[in-house]
Amino acid sequence: MLRWTITFIILAIIAGIFGFGGIAAGATSIAKILFFFFIVLFIISLITGRRKI
């Protein structure tokens, strides 16, 4: 799950760069939402991925 989270956060950052740079002005809000969503998923996967039962 950590691998998927890292993949998606990289995609969100790339989408954010294009959206914030003015290349795709309509994608800015979507990129912001994706960026924060995957930051949260990344943090959750870091917390739960370290536990060993």
PDB file of all heavy atoms in Angstrom, residues 11-32:
ATOM      1  N   LEU A  11       2.169  11.486  -8.713  1.00  0.00           N
ATOM      2  CA  LEU A  11       1.266  11.917  -9.782  1.00  0.00           C
ATOM      3  C   LEU A  11       0.522  13.196  -9.398  1.00  0.00           C
ATOM      4  O   LEU A  11       0.332  14.086 -10.238  1.00  0.00           O
ATOM      5  CB  LEU A  11       0.250  10.814 -10.100  1.00  0.00           C
ATOM      6  CG  LEU A  11       0.810   9.600 -10.830  1.00  0.00           C
ATOM      7  CD1 LEU A  11      -0.258   8.524 -10.949  1.00  0.00           C
ATOM      8  CD2 LEU A  11       1.330   9.994 -12.188  1.00  0.00           C
ATOM      9  N   ALA A  12       0.121  13.314  -8.136  1.00  0.00           N
ATOM     10  CA  ALA A  12      -0.568  14.521  -7.687  1.00  0.00           C
ATOM     11  C   ALA A  12       0.363  15.727  -7.721  1.00  0.00           C
ATOM     12  O   ALA A  12      -0.050  16.837  -8.080  1.00  0.00           O
ATOM     13  CB  ALA A  12      -1.120  14.324  -6.286  1.00  0.00           C
ATOM     14  N   ILE A  13       1.625  15.528  -7.357  1.00  0.00           N
ATOM     15  CA  ILE A  13       2.589  16.639  -7.402  1.00  0.00           C
ATOM     16  C   ILE A  13       2.821  17.086  -8.841  1.00  0.00           C
ATOM     17  O   ILE A  13       2.861  18.287  -9.129  1.00  0.00           O
ATOM     18  CB  ILE A  13       3.907  16.231  -6.718  1.00  0.00           C
ATOM     19  CG1 ILE A  13       3.693  16.115  -5.212  1.00  0.00           C
ATOM     20  CG2 ILE A  13       5.018  17.225  -7.010  1.00  0.00           C
ATOM     21  CD1 ILE A  13       4.863  15.494  -4.476  1.00  0.00           C
ATOM     22  N   ILE A  14       2.952  16.127  -9.756  1.00  0.00           N
ATOM     23  CA  ILE A  14       3.140  16.479 -11.169  1.00  0.00           C
ATOM     24  C   ILE A  14       1.917  17.219 -11.699  1.00  0.00           C
ATOM     25  O   ILE A  14       2.044  18.233 -12.395  1.00  0.00           O
ATOM     26  CB  ILE A  14       3.436  15.216 -11.995  1.00  0.00           C
ATOM     27  CG1 ILE A  14       4.816  14.671 -11.618  1.00  0.00           C
ATOM     28  CG2 ILE A  14       3.374  15.516 -13.486  1.00  0.00           C
ATOM     29  CD1 ILE A  14       5.121  13.304 -12.199  1.00  0.00           C
ATOM     30  N   ALA A  15       0.723  16.722 -11.355  1.00  0.00           N
ATOM     31  CA  ALA A  15      -0.499  17.408 -11.784  1.00  0.00           C
ATOM     32  C   ALA A  15      -0.573  18.800 -11.172  1.00  0.00           C
ATOM     33  O   ALA A  15      -1.027  19.752 -11.809  1.00  0.00           O
ATOM     34  CB  ALA A  15      -1.725  16.593 -11.384  1.00  0.00           C
ATOM     35  N   GLY A  16      -0.103  18.936  -9.935  1.00  0.00           N
ATOM     36  CA  GLY A  16      -0.093  20.244  -9.283  1.00  0.00           C
ATOM     37  C   GLY A  16       0.853  21.213  -9.957  1.00  0.00           C
ATOM     38  O   GLY A  16       0.542  22.390 -10.122  1.00  0.00           O
ATOM     39  N   ILE A  17       2.007  20.737 -10.368  1.00  0.00           N
ATOM     40  CA  ILE A  17       2.968  21.603 -11.059  1.00  0.00           C
ATOM     41  C   ILE A  17       2.372  22.135 -12.355  1.00  0.00           C
ATOM     42  O   ILE A  17       2.467  23.322 -12.659  1.00  0.00           O
ATOM     43  CB  ILE A  17       4.281  20.844 -11.315  1.00  0.00           C
ATOM     44  CG1 ILE A  17       5.020  20.611 -10.006  1.00  0.00           C
ATOM     45  CG2 ILE A  17       5.171  21.602 -12.281  1.00  0.00           C
ATOM     46  CD1 ILE A  17       6.192  19.662 -10.119  1.00  0.00           C
ATOM     47  N   PHE A  18       1.744  21.244 -13.108  1.00  0.00           N
ATOM     48  CA  PHE A  18       1.131  21.696 -14.357  1.00  0.00           C
ATOM     49  C   PHE A  18      -0.040  22.630 -14.101  1.00  0.00           C
ATOM     50  O   PHE A  18      -0.226  23.626 -14.788  1.00  0.00           O
ATOM     51  CB  PHE A  18       0.664  20.504 -15.196  1.00  0.00           C
ATOM     52  CG  PHE A  18       1.785  19.742 -15.830  1.00  0.00           C
ATOM     53  CD1 PHE A  18       1.876  18.374 -15.678  1.00  0.00           C
ATOM     54  CD2 PHE A  18       2.758  20.398 -16.573  1.00  0.00           C
ATOM     55  CE1 PHE A  18       2.909  17.668 -16.255  1.00  0.00           C
ATOM     56  CE2 PHE A  18       3.795  19.693 -17.153  1.00  0.00           C
ATOM     57  CZ  PHE A  18       3.876  18.328 -16.999  1.00  0.00           C
ATOM     58  N   GLY A  19      -0.838  22.327 -13.081  1.00  0.00           N
ATOM     59  CA  GLY A  19      -2.012  23.152 -12.778  1.00  0.00           C
ATOM     60  C   GLY A  19      -1.633  24.501 -12.206  1.00  0.00           C
ATOM     61  O   GLY A  19      -2.204  25.522 -12.575  1.00  0.00           O
ATOM     62  N   PHE A  20      -0.654  24.528 -11.289  1.00  0.00           N
ATOM     63  CA  PHE A  20      -0.268  25.786 -10.662  1.00  0.00           C
ATOM     64  C   PHE A  20       0.532  26.658 -11.615  1.00  0.00           C
ATOM     65  O   PHE A  20       0.572  27.867 -11.473  1.00  0.00           O
ATOM     66  CB  PHE A  20       0.566  25.530  -9.402  1.00  0.00           C
ATOM     67  CG  PHE A  20      -0.148  24.709  -8.358  1.00  0.00           C
ATOM     68  CD1 PHE A  20       0.562  23.850  -7.541  1.00  0.00           C
ATOM     69  CD2 PHE A  20      -1.514  24.787  -8.180  1.00  0.00           C
ATOM     70  CE1 PHE A  20      -0.079  23.096  -6.580  1.00  0.00           C
ATOM     71  CE2 PHE A  20      -2.157  24.035  -7.226  1.00  0.00           C
ATOM     72  CZ  PHE A  20      -1.443  23.185  -6.422  1.00  0.00           C
ATOM     73  N   GLY A  21       1.179  26.050 -12.601  1.00  0.00           N
ATOM     74  CA  GLY A  21       2.000  26.803 -13.548  1.00  0.00           C
ATOM     75  C   GLY A  21       1.204  27.502 -14.619  1.00  0.00           C
ATOM     76  O   GLY A  21       1.750  28.276 -15.382  1.00  0.00           O
ATOM     77  N   GLY A  22      -0.060  27.245 -14.712  1.00  0.00           N
ATOM     78  CA  GLY A  22      -0.895  27.910 -15.692  1.00  0.00           C
ATOM     79  C   GLY A  22      -1.080  27.127 -16.980  1.00  0.00           C
ATOM     80  O   GLY A  22      -1.797  27.567 -17.871  1.00  0.00           O
ATOM     81  N   ILE A  23      -0.460  25.965 -17.090  1.00  0.00           N
ATOM     82  CA  ILE A  23      -0.602  25.166 -18.309  1.00  0.00           C
ATOM     83  C   ILE A  23      -2.016  24.625 -18.419  1.00  0.00           C
ATOM     84  O   ILE A  23      -2.628  24.653 -19.477  1.00  0.00           O
ATOM     85  CB  ILE A  23       0.435  24.027 -18.328  1.00  0.00           C
ATOM     86  CG1 ILE A  23       1.843  24.612 -18.399  1.00  0.00           C
ATOM     87  CG2 ILE A  23       0.191  23.088 -19.494  1.00  0.00           C
ATOM     88  CD1 ILE A  23       2.946  23.597 -18.278  1.00  0.00           C
ATOM     89  N   ALA A  24      -2.529  24.138 -17.316  1.00  0.00           N
ATOM     90  CA  ALA A  24      -3.897  23.611 -17.296  1.00  0.00           C
ATOM     91  C   ALA A  24      -4.641  24.297 -16.159  1.00  0.00           C
ATOM     92  O   ALA A  24      -4.745  23.780 -15.055  1.00  0.00           O
ATOM     93  CB  ALA A  24      -3.883  22.104 -17.113  1.00  0.00           C
ATOM     94  N   ALA A  25      -5.148  25.472 -16.431  1.00  0.00           N
ATOM     95  CA  ALA A  25      -5.786  26.279 -15.388  1.00  0.00           C
ATOM     96  C   ALA A  25      -7.006  25.579 -14.781  1.00  0.00           C
ATOM     97  O   ALA A  25      -7.282  25.742 -13.597  1.00  0.00           O
ATOM     98  CB  ALA A  25      -6.195  27.624 -15.949  1.00  0.00           C
ATOM     99  N   GLY A  26      -7.704  24.788 -15.562  1.00  0.00           N
ATOM    100  CA  GLY A  26      -8.873  24.082 -15.046  1.00  0.00           C
ATOM    101  C   GLY A  26      -8.525  22.953 -14.103  1.00  0.00           C
ATOM    102  O   GLY A  26      -9.353  22.521 -13.312  1.00  0.00           O
ATOM    103  N   ALA A  27      -7.295  22.460 -14.152  1.00  0.00           N
ATOM    104  CA  ALA A  27      -6.894  21.322 -13.326  1.00  0.00           C
ATOM    105  C   ALA A  27      -6.334  21.743 -11.971  1.00  0.00           C
ATOM    106  O   ALA A  27      -5.982  20.890 -11.165  1.00  0.00           O
ATOM    107  CB  ALA A  27      -5.861  20.492 -14.069  1.00  0.00           C
ATOM    108  N   THR A  28      -6.252  23.018 -11.708  1.00  0.00           N
ATOM    109  CA  THR A  28      -5.642  23.483 -10.469  1.00  0.00           C
ATOM    110  C   THR A  28      -6.393  22.991  -9.236  1.00  0.00           C
ATOM    111  O   THR A  28      -5.778  22.480  -8.293  1.00  0.00           O
ATOM    112  CB  THR A  28      -5.575  25.021 -10.446  1.00  0.00           C
ATOM    113  OG1 THR A  28      -4.887  25.456 -11.602  1.00  0.00           O
ATOM    114  CG2 THR A  28      -4.858  25.517  -9.227  1.00  0.00           C
ATOM    115  N   SER A  29      -7.690  23.125  -9.229  1.00  0.00           N
ATOM    116  CA  SER A  29      -8.450  22.704  -8.051  1.00  0.00           C
ATOM    117  C   SER A  29      -8.398  21.193  -7.872  1.00  0.00           C
ATOM    118  O   SER A  29      -8.280  20.701  -6.744  1.00  0.00           O
ATOM    119  CB  SER A  29      -9.895  23.178  -8.143  1.00  0.00           C
ATOM    120  OG  SER A  29     -10.516  22.626  -9.279  1.00  0.00           O
ATOM    121  N   ILE A  30      -8.450  20.457  -8.967  1.00  0.00           N
ATOM    122  CA  ILE A  30      -8.350  18.998  -8.884  1.00  0.00           C
ATOM    123  C   ILE A  30      -6.977  18.597  -8.362  1.00  0.00           C
ATOM    124  O   ILE A  30      -6.854  17.694  -7.532  1.00  0.00           O
ATOM    125  CB  ILE A  30      -8.624  18.363 -10.264  1.00  0.00           C
ATOM    126  CG1 ILE A  30     -10.057  18.645 -10.682  1.00  0.00           C
ATOM    127  CG2 ILE A  30      -8.359  16.867 -10.229  1.00  0.00           C
ATOM    128  CD1 ILE A  30     -10.369  18.267 -12.105  1.00  0.00           C
ATOM    129  N   ALA A  31      -5.942  19.262  -8.822  1.00  0.00           N
ATOM    130  CA  ALA A  31      -4.583  18.944  -8.378  1.00  0.00           C
ATOM    131  C   ALA A  31      -4.407  19.242  -6.896  1.00  0.00           C
ATOM    132  O   ALA A  31      -3.757  18.476  -6.185  1.00  0.00           O
ATOM    133  CB  ALA A  31      -3.568  19.726  -9.200  1.00  0.00           C
ATOM    134  N   LYS A  32      -4.988  20.323  -6.423  1.00  0.00           N
ATOM    135  CA  LYS A  32      -4.889  20.641  -4.995  1.00  0.00           C
ATOM    136  C   LYS A  32      -5.575  19.570  -4.155  1.00  0.00           C
ATOM    137  O   LYS A  32      -5.039  19.127  -3.133  1.00  0.00           O
ATOM    138  CB  LYS A  32      -5.531  21.996  -4.707  1.00  0.00           C
ATOM    139  CG  LYS A  32      -4.708  23.163  -5.159  1.00  0.00           C
ATOM    140  CD  LYS A  32      -5.426  24.469  -4.829  1.00  0.00           C
ATOM    141  CE  LYS A  32      -4.687  25.662  -5.367  1.00  0.00           C
ATOM    142  NZ  LYS A  32      -5.398  26.916  -5.097  1.00  0.00           N
TER     143      LYS A  32
END
